[in-house]
Amino acid sequence: MKRYIVAVITMLGSVVGLAQKAPKAIEPLPKASQVEWQKMETYAFIHFGPNTFGDREWGYGDAPLESFNPTRLDCEQWARTVKNAGMKGIILTAKHHDGFCLWPTKYTDYSVRNTPYKQGKGDIVGELAAACKKYWLKFGLYLSPWDRHQAFYGTALYREYFYAQLHELLTQYGELFEVWFDGANGGDGWYGGAKETRKIDRRTYYDFPRAWAMVDKLQPKAQIFSDGGPGCRWVGNEDGYAFATNWSFLRSKEVYPGYEHYQELQHGHRDGDKWIPAECNVSIRPGWFYHEKEDCKVKSVEQLVDLYYRSVGHNGTQLINFPVNKEGLIHPIDSANAVNYYKQISDELKKNLVLKASVKASNTRGKVFSTKKLTDGNYDTYWATADGVSAATITIDFHKVQKVNRMMLQEYIPLGQRVEKFCVEYLNNGQWLPVDCGEETTTIGYKRLLRFKTIETRKLRVVFEKSRGELCINNVGVFYAPKAKEKYAEKASVVEGIDKKLVKADASSVVFELSTASSVKTLYYLPDQSASHQGLISDYEILAGNDLNKLQKVASGQFENIRNHPILQEVHFPPVKARYIMLKATRMVVDGQPVKYDKIAIE
């Protein structure tokens, strides 16, 4: 009799389950591997190569092989740092734009195989792969499509060379979680001594569908990164944040590596046809490669925490770069700040006050999809609304007055990204008042984190105002972080320098007159900081003198990577006594645009 009752209960449960079907999925949808990738949340970048020893950001491709000679290189130190900072993996720049290879490839002599490091017996890609395995970290690789070293770059032969090297990396170093293709492609380089500018069609030259197919075949779990994915996308800046409105979709046929309208990538395309979520890349220092002068410019714990909320907390992942130094180690300041940042985030989001609260919803699909699923710790269970219901409210009752200043919301993205608009309110003296988090409350996606001034309340509610379909929310968290700041306030970083006034400006140059003839040795150039970053200077000359009509050139060069990373630029030159200083653009990032800047300082 007892068995019969159990069988009937089981059968009835099955009937209830069948009656409560999951909401219909809304395309575009992520692959299972994309969902697992997003769950990683934070992971590390490592930039290391001849640029490290030549104090460069974009090596020209002509650095001598003997210059690459780290004396204490320790990939396990890198892995320990990353692990202690709570990150889940490491992506290594196996080959940057200078063409130098950190593994002993058989396709070029321009590799670690012909350097003093370990008398040519080293394989830094292999050493880091082993270190990641030891410390239970996932491993990924960056392979630059551009190569400023090879004489045959721009020809069909280079394309075969590129795929041969990609095949080596995909088959020799175990399982990869991500393969990274940079959008910087074509331009000036050494090119076997030609020292010229070569332009390629970024849409067609590399035949990227061939790369996607190779990765899918040899590394099926790896996400492919580029401006347009197809696994994950660049977020459209190198400052490490996504917009508060951030869709995990792109119009895939429009976006390509080196996409002209890259600012769109900060929020994605609401009408996109393919699931391509955002990865927010940022260096812990101003530069991507190590420069000793930046030892005092490492991002603070406060800055890193702020970026976590604006990357992972804006439906992206966070990729933090560590520029390994000349010894072959992550600098102790970088390491300490990364570890302490992780501790602070862990502390701020440690105690979920919803776990001891009551949660009710204005609409529920049924018991299988009740509000209990919001806090059961199971990623694959969720609260959902009935068919056709795309707006609803969940109310959280703490049973007593609580201090709160953080909130987390997660959608069940295997069924699609849905929420388009929501608001958070708290009960104050019988009235529902809006929580001011200082940013728009539109999309949620994998995860949305809200920061706001500390409030005291017994009840909070989330009003989902607009959605692409039935609501599917699988996690809600409310926290109180007593030591946390609302948001990080960016500090001005431009040196004021010598008093000057603008005396002349045209499309390609600006001239300043100093208050008196002075000894000058540095020019600081902060590019246009508007969202569109207009008038960026690529190549420059600096001229100085006491006669405006007889200025002499004192420096020239290139502002490397300024298109993607328009930060403060410093140009140092031998001291010269002058009354007038000219910054002249010899090439613009976008041809035809006049020079624009936010600030220029001279000292």
Side-chain angles (χ1 to χ4, degrees):
M1 186 66 178
K2 186 176 180 181
R3 287 183 180 179
Y4 174 75
I5 293 171
V6 171
V8 170
I9 292 171
T10 302
M11 181 181 69
L12 289 172
S14 298
V15 171
V16 171
L18 288 170
Q20 297 176 16
K21 292 181 180 179
K24 185 179 179 181
I26 300 177
E27 295 184 341
L29 298 173
K31 296 179 180 178
S33 61
Q34 288 176 307
V35 176
E36 293 307 306
W37 167 86
Q38 192 131 25
K39 288 179 183 178
M40 291 176 67
E41 296 197 358
T42 64
Y43 40 96
F45 226 166
I46 297 286
H47 277 62
F48 184 60
N51 289 348
T52 307
F53 299 88
D55 201 25
R56 299 292 303 272
E57 278 292 293
W58 280 10
Y60 200 58
D62 59 351
L65 288 165
E66 58 269 20
S67 69
F68 184 83
N69 189 21
T71 54
R72 297 176 58 200
L73 190 144
D74 183 356
C75 288
E76 289 197 13
Q77 186 253 3
W78 307 355
R80 285 193 301 273
T81 295
V82 170
K83 188 78 172 181
N84 291 337
M87 300 179 189
K88 304 300 190 299
I90 300 177
I91 299 173
L92 175 67
T93 53
K95 184 193 82 169
H96 204 254
H97 311 323
D98 61 359
F100 179 83
C101 300
L102 289 176
W103 79 103
T105 173
K106 62 184 178 182
Y107 295 104
T108 180
D109 291 335
Y110 202 58
S111 80
V112 68
R113 177 164 46 88
N114 293 306
T115 69
Y117 176 64
K118 290 189 174 181
Q119 292 79 49
K121 306 291 184 184
D123 180 353
I124 295 172
V125 176
E127 291 167 36
L128 183 55
C132 285
K133 187 174 182 180
K134 179 175 179 178
Y135 288 93
W136 296 91
L137 294 167
K138 295 184 179 182
F139 186 48
L141 289 170
Y142 166 119
L143 180 67
S144 173
W146 188 17
D147 192 317
R148 303 174 93 183
H149 174 80
Q150 289 299 342
F152 48 85
Y153 178 78
T155 69
L157 176 61
Y158 176 78
R159 190 162 52 241
E160 298 308 311
Y161 168 82
F162 172 73
Y163 280 106
Q165 290 195 322
L166 178 60
H167 189 274
E168 284 184 322
L169 293 173
L170 296 177
T171 57
Q172 295 179 7
Y173 298 103
E175 186 176 288
L176 303 177
F177 82 92
E178 187 167 324
V179 178
W180 225 89
F181 296 112
D182 204 313
N185 289 300
D188 61 331
W190 186 68
Y191 303 129
K195 297 183 180 180
E196 61 189 20
T197 298
R198 296 183 182 176
K199 294 184 178 181
I200 48 90
D201 185 335
R202 295 174 177 177
R203 289 178 179 267
T204 62
Y205 173 62
Y206 298 104
D207 187 16
F208 275 121
R210 178 179 170 186
W212 312 158
M214 183 183 288
V215 175
D216 285 345
K217 179 182 178 180
L218 300 175
Q219 293 287 344
K221 294 182 180 179
Q223 300 312 306
I224 300 170
F225 170 96
S226 75
D227 285 9
C232 56
R233 73 177 192 263
W234 180 43
V235 76
N237 64 66
E238 293 187 352
D239 300 318
Y241 67 87
F243 283 174
T245 298
N246 181 20
W247 293 99
S248 292
F249 321 146
L250 285 183
R251 295 188 290 271
S252 61
K253 293 179 178 145
E254 290 183 16
V255 185
Y256 55 90
Y259 183 51
E260 182 179 356
H261 305 293
Y262 58 90
Q263 295 90 347
E264 297 173 5
L265 305 180
Q266 295 170 115
H267 52 70
H269 294 148
R270 162 66 176 78
D271 60 348
D273 64 295
K274 194 167 183 179
W275 187 280
I276 307 176
E279 177 181 84
C280 305
N281 58 318
V282 67
S283 184
I284 201 166
R285 293 164 173 251
W288 291 89
F289 286 89
Y290 179 80
H291 309 286
E292 187 176 358
K293 66 186 178 185
E294 293 180 354
D295 285 351
C296 60
K297 297 180 180 180
V298 178
K299 285 184 174 58
S300 66
V301 171
E302 188 180 46
Q303 286 174 289
L304 295 171
V305 167
D306 177 65
L307 289 175
Y308 176 84
Y309 282 102
R310 295 198 287 149
S311 56
V312 176
H314 281 177
N315 186 35
T317 60
Q318 185 181 51
L319 176 59
I320 298 179
N321 177 63
F322 294 93
V324 169
N325 66 20
K326 293 180 181 180
E327 291 182 306
L329 301 171
I330 294 175
H331 194 281
I333 298 175
D334 306 41
S335 177
N337 286 9
V339 171
N340 288 327
Y341 134 77
Y342 170 61
K343 289 179 180 177
Q344 183 167 325
I345 286 291
S346 299
D347 185 59
E348 290 188 12
L349 304 177
K350 179 170 60 178
K351 186 179 180 181
N352 185 358
L353 300 174
V354 182
L355 297 179
K356 292 185 178 181
S358 298
V359 185
K360 294 182 179 180
S362 64
N363 182 279
T364 300
R365 196 173 187 83
K367 200 168 184 179
V368 173
F369 303 98
S370 73
T371 55
K372 290 182 179 179
K373 307 304 180 182
L374 294 169
T375 55
D376 65 0
N378 184 344
Y379 182 83
D380 292 308
T381 61
Y382 49 93
W383 162 69
T385 53
D387 285 347
V389 178
S390 59
T393 299
I394 57 173
T395 303
I396 303 164
D397 186 346
F398 301 113
H399 306 298
K400 63 179 181 179
V401 173
Q402 294 276 13
K403 289 182 178 180
V404 296
N405 56 16
R406 298 285 185 273
M407 189 169 201
M408 175 184 67
L409 295 166
Q410 290 189 269
E411 286 187 85
Y412 186 61
I413 59 173
L415 294 179
Q417 187 179 351
R418 300 165 180 253
V419 176
E420 296 187 71
K421 186 178 181 183
F422 70 98
C423 67
V424 180
E425 299 175 335
Y426 69 102
L427 194 62
N428 181 40
N429 294 324
Q431 283 188 307
W432 287 103
L433 301 177
V435 168
D436 182 10
C437 60
E439 60 187 27
E440 56 198 16
T441 48
T442 47
T443 57
I444 293 175
Y446 167 75
K447 181 174 283 189
R448 185 67 189 274
L449 292 166
L450 304 175
R451 293 173 286 175
F452 44 90
K453 290 181 180 179
T454 300
I455 57 175
E456 296 188 31
T457 188
R458 177 177 167 169
K459 292 184 180 182
L460 277 176
R461 69 183 185 185
V462 184
V463 182
F464 298 98
E465 301 175 67
K466 186 180 179 182
S467 178
R468 297 171 68 236
E470 295 80 13
L471 296 161
C472 298
I473 307 296
N474 67 340
N475 199 358
V476 171
V478 177
F479 311 90
Y480 173 54
K483 299 179 182 178
K485 294 187 177 181
E486 294 169 54
K487 289 186 177 180
Y488 172 77
E490 194 73 48
K491 298 179 179 63
S493 57
V494 178
V495 177
E496 288 304 321
I498 300 170
D499 289 338
K500 64 189 184 309
K501 66 177 180 179
L502 179 64
V503 294
K504 179 183 176 184
D506 55 36
S508 63
S509 65
V510 290
V511 181
F512 296 94
E513 181 182 12
L514 308 185
S515 53
T516 59
S518 306
S519 178
V520 295
K521 59 181 179 179
T522 307
L523 182 139
Y524 300 89
Y525 159 57
L526 183 65
D528 174 37
Q529 295 296 293
S530 69
S532 57
H533 298 304
Q534 295 288 308
L536 300 178
I537 300 172
S538 172
D539 295 12
Y540 66 86
E541 291 180 352
I542 297 174
L543 300 95
N546 291 313
D547 185 333
L548 189 57
N549 298 311
K550 296 181 180 180
L551 302 180
Q552 301 292 315
K553 183 168 68 174
V554 295
S556 63
Q558 182 180 77
F559 294 126
E560 300 167 348
N561 196 28
I562 196 169
R563 173 183 180 271
N564 301 326
H565 200 37
I567 62 171
L568 178 67
Q569 309 290 319
E570 300 181 24
V571 182
H572 302 278
F573 45 86
V576 56
K577 194 167 186 178
R579 182 76 181 270
Y580 298 96
I581 296 287
M582 173 187 286
L583 173 61
K584 180 181 179 181
T586 57
R587 188 171 69 174
M588 301 296 292
V589 168
V590 177
D591 291 341
Q593 282 191 355
V595 170
K596 289 189 69 175
Y597 60 91
D598 195 80
K599 291 184 180 179
I600 291 177
I602 300 159
E603 69 171 10

